[in-house]
């Protein structure tokens, strides 16, 4: 069983006038993520991004556990200055 941890940062989609006008246009904007074998490293990056983007409620920040290709969100940021309660094991 392969387990890795991701910190994922997703920005909002650009306004409709600046993206292609097609049904295939993405509903979310650019995404940045890092993947590590060690939870503490991913958690550190997640916390850095929380501090950096605290004033941007439109930015989605997640800590994710990936097991054999399947992802489970451990900590999503729900708004500026807040996160959901810790998932078990984090």
């Amino acid at each position: 069983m392969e387990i890795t941890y991701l910190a994922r940062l997703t920005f909002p989609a650009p306004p409709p006038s600046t993206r292609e006008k097609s049904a295939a246009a993405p509903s979310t904007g650019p995404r940045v993520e890092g993947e590590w074998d060690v939870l503490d490293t991913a958690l550190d990056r997640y916390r850095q991004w929380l501090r950096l983007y605290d004033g941007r409620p439109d930015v989605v920040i997640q800590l994710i556990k990936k097991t054999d290709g399947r992802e489970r969100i451990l900590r999503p940021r729900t708004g500026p200055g807040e996160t959901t309660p810790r998932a078990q094991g984090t």
Side-chain angles (χ1 to χ4, degrees):
M1 178 182 322
E2 183 179 355
I3 298 174
T4 57
Y5 299 92
L6 292 85
R8 181 175 292 153
L9 177 66
T10 306
F11 294 92
S17 62
T18 62
R19 63 179 193 233
E20 290 183 33
K21 294 179 179 169
S22 76
S27 60
T28 61
R31 177 182 284 178
V32 177
E33 65 183 31
E35 187 168 350
W36 297 271
D37 293 329
V38 179
L39 174 60
D40 287 342
T41 306
L43 187 56
D44 286 345
R45 179 54 47 108
Y46 171 81
R47 289 176 178 153
Q48 288 172 358
W49 285 344
L50 286 177
R51 288 188 298 273
L52 187 61
Y53 294 100
D54 187 52
R56 294 276 314 266
D58 56 342
V59 174
V60 176
I61 304 169
Q62 299 171 315
L63 179 66
I64 299 165
K65 181 178 182 179
K66 187 174 176 182
T67 306
D68 294 330
R70 297 187 69 179
E71 295 182 0
R72 182 171 67 99
I73 298 171
L74 299 177
R75 291 191 191 180
R77 182 187 65 167
T78 56
E82 59 184 77
T83 60
T84 58
R86 286 181 165 204
Q88 279 189 318
T90 64

